């Protein structure tokens, strides 16, 4: 460099939109096939490595899948790189095992039926080749261990049938002395265990040794612990702590902290129940631990707010303590004047929140939008993504058929550059959230995911300060119809999906079918 001039690299632009391709499907329905209620998938979760995937259904079953394309690679890393292995292959999973996690119950004290439906699944740390996970229905959380067991098959015993007579007796009289099956002699006392006993030449004919013909491996799922009787209301969330020892469970009014090793005791860390239930104005809808800070968690409410809680400040982090000691930040977007209606609070309710991998951002899903929040800025979301704005004129109809209360989940990519969530007609949407990105892709849960591709407009931005912009991204859908002119089907909804932790791969549930895509 001459004269001390510095070369400044040009800022990298937003990544190009991904081209999504169909990978595989499990449980695909045939045309006209009726889906049983118990077979509908109600939870999806990748483990931290991305090598295992778990699904739960309304019948209380947990099904595990394992990745196969990495196991079949073979050779050294240099050989795989030379073959461009990672480019030529896409993630492939196979069915691993399934087990019945929950059964239907009846609470006789409250005359209440408790469904077996799996609400959430969370993977725990693996140990000694065994898989561990938490699953919950409305009332009970269970800790499962799934481990391979080797079973040896015995094909024969080394017994000559011509010489064996009865149970341990010898048909041949060539020996001058009879021996019993346990190696003793009949003329000796059973208390005489002297060391001068000698085995006859050729061994004991009546001693039976098994011959192993084959060895099989089976998977055994065992419930290690049951965490019950701690929630009066339906459990909507469970989340593992980064310390590997504790987890939280949340219902409408309380969040409890558990130790994985202790099933008969939990600590109530958040309680929003008012003294008089008539004063209740909001409920807890979702809760999640920070991915790296074991003392921090976030929970969302039906009023559209997110609270960030520091467990080091106080043992009880409810609203009263928070107001007194300012224990948590509250993230809530202010309403525009004159925009309030009967449906405002209903569609503002947050159905799901997820931390980004580094814990800097929180993604939230309400009925109409995805919002991305920076935990260092609680004045409003840094970006808003409109999922199905065409439904706004139909809110009255959606309220009448209860669709407005559907709880859609959301997820982030491992690199934090994209987010995804579901919609109706088995559609899901992928948005780019990098600065300047205009990516907004509509995909259908089918073997042809791009069949219902909808064009999008350039994102609109408005300044929030010197360096932070708020982005509002929307599509140009015609109200109630897709790109092919077909009316949207509100009975088919894609509520559950998960993003692979390290790759651009998405698993999503359409009724009882599990679809997987890669880019």
């Amino acid at each position: 460099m001459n004269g001390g001039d510095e070369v400044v690299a040009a800022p990298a632009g937003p990544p190009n939109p991904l081209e999504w391709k169909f990978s595989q499907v499990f449980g695909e329905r045939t045309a006209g096939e009726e889906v049983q209620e118990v077979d509908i998938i109600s939870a999806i979760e990748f483990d931290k490595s991305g090598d295992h995937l778990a699904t739960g259904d309304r019948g209380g079953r947990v099904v595990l899948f394992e990745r196969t394309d990495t196991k079949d690679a073979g050779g050294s890393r240099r050989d795989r790189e030379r073959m461009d292995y990672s480019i030529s292959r896409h993630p492939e999973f196979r069915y691993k095992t399934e087990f019945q996690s929950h059964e239907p119950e009846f609470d006789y004290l409250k005359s209440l039926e408790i469904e077996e439906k799996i609400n959430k699944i969370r993977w725990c740390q693996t140990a000694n080749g065994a898989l561990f996970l938490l699953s919950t229905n409305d009332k009970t959380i269970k800790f499962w261990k799934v481990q391979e067991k080797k079973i040896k098959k015995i094909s024969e015993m080394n017994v000559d049938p011509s010489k064996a007579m009865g149970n341990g007796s010898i048909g041949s009289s060539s020996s001058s002395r009879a021996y019993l099956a346990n190696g003793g002699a009949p003329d000796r006392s059973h208390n005489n265990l002297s060391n001068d006993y000698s085995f006859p030449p050729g061994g004991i004919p009546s001693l039976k040794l098994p011959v192993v013909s084959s060895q099989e491996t089976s998977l055994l799922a065992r419930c290690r612990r049951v965490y019950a009787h701690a929630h009066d209301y339906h459990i909507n969330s469970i989340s593992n702590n980064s310390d590997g020892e504790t987890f939280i469970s949340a219902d409408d009014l309380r969040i409890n902290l558990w130790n994985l090793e202790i099933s008969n005791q939990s600590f109530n860390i958040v309680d929003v129940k008012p003294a008089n239930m008539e004063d209740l104005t909001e409920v807890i809808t979702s809760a999640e631990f920070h991915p790296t800070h074991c003392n921090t968690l976030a929970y969302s409410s039906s009023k559209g707010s997110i609270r960030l809680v520091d467990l080091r400040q106080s043992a009880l982090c409810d609203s009263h303590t928070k107001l007194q000691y300012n224990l948590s930040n509250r993230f809530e977007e202010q309403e525009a004047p004159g925009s309030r209606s009967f449906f405002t609070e209903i569609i503002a309710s947050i159905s799901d929140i997820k931390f980004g991998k580094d814990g800097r951002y929180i993604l939230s899903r309400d009925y109409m939008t995805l919002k991305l929040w920076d935990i260092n800025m609680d004045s409003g979301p840094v970006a808003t993504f409109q999922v199905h704005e065409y439904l706004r004129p139909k809110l009255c109809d959606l309220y009448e058929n209860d669709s407005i209360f559907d709880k859609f989940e959301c997820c982030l990519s491992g690199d934090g550059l994209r987010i995804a969530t579901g919609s109706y007609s088995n559609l899901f949407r992928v948005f780019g959230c990098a600065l300047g990105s205009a990516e907004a892709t509509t995909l259908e849960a089918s073997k042809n995911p791009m069949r219902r591709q909808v064009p999008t407009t350039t994102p609109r931005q408005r300044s929030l300060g010197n360096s932070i912009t708020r982005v509002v991204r929307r599509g140009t859908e015609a109200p109630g119809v897709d790109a092919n002119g077909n009316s949207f089907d509100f009975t088919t909804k894609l509520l559950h999906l998960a993003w692979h932790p390290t790759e651009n791969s998405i698993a999503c549930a359409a009724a009882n079918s599990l679809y997987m895509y890669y880019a």
Side-chain angles (χ1 to χ4, degrees):
M1 290 181 291
N2 298 326
D5 294 337
E6 295 183 1
V7 177
V8 180
N16 295 325
L18 296 177
E19 182 181 351
W20 291 92
K21 301 180 182 67
F22 170 78
S23 176
Q24 56 191 139
V25 59
F26 296 94
E28 185 182 22
R29 289 174 293 164
T30 59
E33 179 184 355
E34 185 177 350
V35 179
Q36 299 297 319
E37 181 78 11
V38 294
D39 294 330
I40 295 177
I41 297 173
S42 57
I44 300 179
E45 187 78 5
F46 280 104
D47 70 349
K48 285 187 176 180
S49 69
D51 291 337
H52 293 93
L53 175 68
T55 66
D57 61 26
R58 295 186 183 181
R61 295 182 298 265
V62 172
V63 183
L64 304 184
F65 302 88
E66 66 176 349
R67 189 167 180 176
T68 59
D69 57 306
T70 53
K71 291 184 178 181
D72 299 338
S76 65
R77 177 180 177 181
R78 182 172 296 178
D79 293 337
R80 294 195 299 271
E81 289 176 348
R82 189 180 297 116
M83 296 168 57
D84 287 333
Y85 177 80
S86 61
I87 298 176
S88 60
R89 303 278 307 262
H90 62 81
E92 292 181 1
F93 286 78
R94 71 180 177 191
Y95 169 86
K96 186 177 180 73
T97 188
E98 68 179 82
F99 55 90
Q100 188 70 31
S101 175
H102 287 73
E103 300 282 355
E105 302 175 40
F106 189 82
D107 188 339
Y108 292 96
L109 294 177
K110 298 181 179 180
S111 296
L112 182 68
E113 289 186 6
I114 303 173
E115 294 182 349
E116 65 271 33
K117 171 192 170 188
I118 305 296
N119 291 341
K120 295 288 181 182
I121 295 174
R122 291 291 181 265
W123 289 92
C124 303
Q125 293 180 353
T126 59
N128 299 324
L131 304 175
F132 296 88
L133 50 87
L134 291 166
S135 63
T136 184
N137 64 353
D138 287 340
K139 296 291 183 181
T140 305
I141 308 161
K142 294 186 178 181
F143 183 49
W144 290 92
K145 178 182 180 181
V146 182
Q147 190 173 27
E148 291 186 349
K149 294 290 183 180
K150 293 183 178 179
I151 301 175
K152 296 180 179 180
K153 284 194 172 184
I154 308 301
S155 64
E156 60 183 58
M157 309 287 277
N158 61 341
V159 176
D160 186 352
S162 63
K163 294 183 179 180
M165 295 173 54
N167 186 14
S169 60
I170 308 299
S172 173
S173 59
S174 60
S175 174
S176 61
R177 189 174 185 182
Y179 292 91
L180 298 179
N182 61 2
D187 58 347
R188 292 191 177 193
S189 170
H190 64 276
N191 292 323
N192 184 4
L193 301 177
S194 61
N195 294 328
D196 60 353
Y197 177 81
S198 59
F199 283 89
I204 302 174
S206 61
L207 184 62
K208 300 179 179 181
L209 298 177
V211 177
V212 179
S213 62
S214 63
Q215 184 169 293
E216 293 183 354
T217 301
S218 65
L219 286 165
L220 177 65
R222 188 161 61 95
C223 183
R224 296 288 303 275
R225 288 177 186 84
V226 178
Y227 313 90
H229 312 300
H231 288 277
D232 292 330
Y233 303 92
H234 292 175
I235 299 172
N236 55 50
S237 303
I238 52 176
S239 179
N240 303 89
N241 199 347
S242 58
D243 62 10
E245 298 178 358
T246 57
F247 70 94
I248 55 172
S249 59
D251 64 20
D252 291 344
L253 299 181
R254 291 187 174 95
I255 299 177
N256 294 333
L257 178 68
W258 301 83
N259 189 299
L260 281 168
E261 302 295 326
I262 303 171
S263 60
N264 60 356
Q265 184 183 43
S266 64
F267 297 95
N268 179 222
I269 57 174
V270 174
D271 187 351
V272 299
K273 183 178 181 180
N276 185 354
M277 285 297 286
E278 293 182 358
D279 298 330
L280 182 67
T281 59
E282 64 179 333
V283 296
I284 298 168
T285 57
S286 183
E288 182 162 303
F289 261 119
H290 191 282
T292 56
H293 298 165
C294 61
N295 56 282
T296 304
L297 63 94
Y299 67 93
S300 59
S301 82
S302 58
K303 278 194 169 181
S305 64
I306 302 172
R307 293 175 176 87
L308 197 64
V309 174
D310 190 340
L311 297 177
R312 297 173 297 183
Q313 304 275 334
S314 173
L316 185 63
C317 306
D318 61 10
S319 57
H320 304 291
T321 309
K322 181 176 72 272
L323 293 175
Q324 183 178 354
Y325 297 104
N326 193 26
L327 286 186
S328 69
N329 297 325
R330 178 169 178 154
F331 303 90
E332 187 172 5
E333 189 173 22
Q334 301 301 317
E335 297 176 8
S339 63
R340 190 171 183 82
S341 70
F342 173 77
F343 305 108
T344 299
E345 283 196 11
I346 300 176
I347 64 175
S349 177
I350 295 175
S351 57
D352 190 26
I353 59 172
K354 292 286 194 310
F355 272 101
K357 191 173 184 179
D358 59 358
R360 169 75 182 273
Y361 295 96
I362 299 176
L363 179 67
S364 69
R365 171 70 202 265
D366 57 43
Y367 188 71
M368 301 296 292
T369 65
L370 277 171
K371 292 185 174 72
L372 192 65
W373 306 78
D374 188 331
I375 65 173
N376 298 322
M377 188 184 75
D378 56 5
S379 60
V382 296
T384 299
F385 307 87
Q386 295 175 343
V387 180
H388 40 216
E389 186 64 18
Y390 63 87
L391 290 180
R392 197 170 291 276
K394 299 179 176 293
L395 291 179
C396 186
D397 296 335
L398 294 165
Y399 178 79
E400 291 293 333
N401 61 23
D402 288 341
S403 293
I404 200 171
F405 302 106
D406 288 334
K407 300 184 183 302
F408 292 93
E409 295 179 0
C410 58
C411 58
L412 298 94
S413 62
D415 55 17
L417 297 178
R418 295 173 180 87
I419 56 179
T421 191
S423 182
Y424 293 100
S425 299
N426 284 340
L427 301 179
F428 64 100
R429 304 212 153 181
V430 178
F431 297 95
C433 54
L435 187 62
S437 174
E439 183 175 357
T441 307
T442 301
L443 303 163
E444 182 187 32
S446 68
K447 290 186 176 181
N448 183 13
M450 307 295 286
R451 184 168 68 94
R452 295 195 183 188
Q453 182 62 36
V454 177
T456 56
T457 58
T458 304
R460 179 167 57 89
Q461 301 180 0
R462 54 191 176 94
S463 175
L464 285 178
N466 294 330
S467 59
I468 301 176
T469 59
R470 178 178 294 166
V471 180
V472 180
R473 190 161 304 143
R474 64 184 67 189
T476 56
E477 307 99 336
V481 297
D482 62 18
N484 300 326
N486 301 317
S487 60
F488 281 96
D489 182 5
F490 300 116
T491 62
T492 56
K493 56 197 74 171
L494 200 150
L495 302 176
H496 312 286
L497 75 172
W499 201 301
H500 191 283
T502 59
E503 300 177 7
N504 286 322
S505 176
I506 292 178
C508 58
N512 66 322
S513 302
L514 176 67
Y515 286 91
M516 306 191 72
Y517 304 93
Y518 71 101

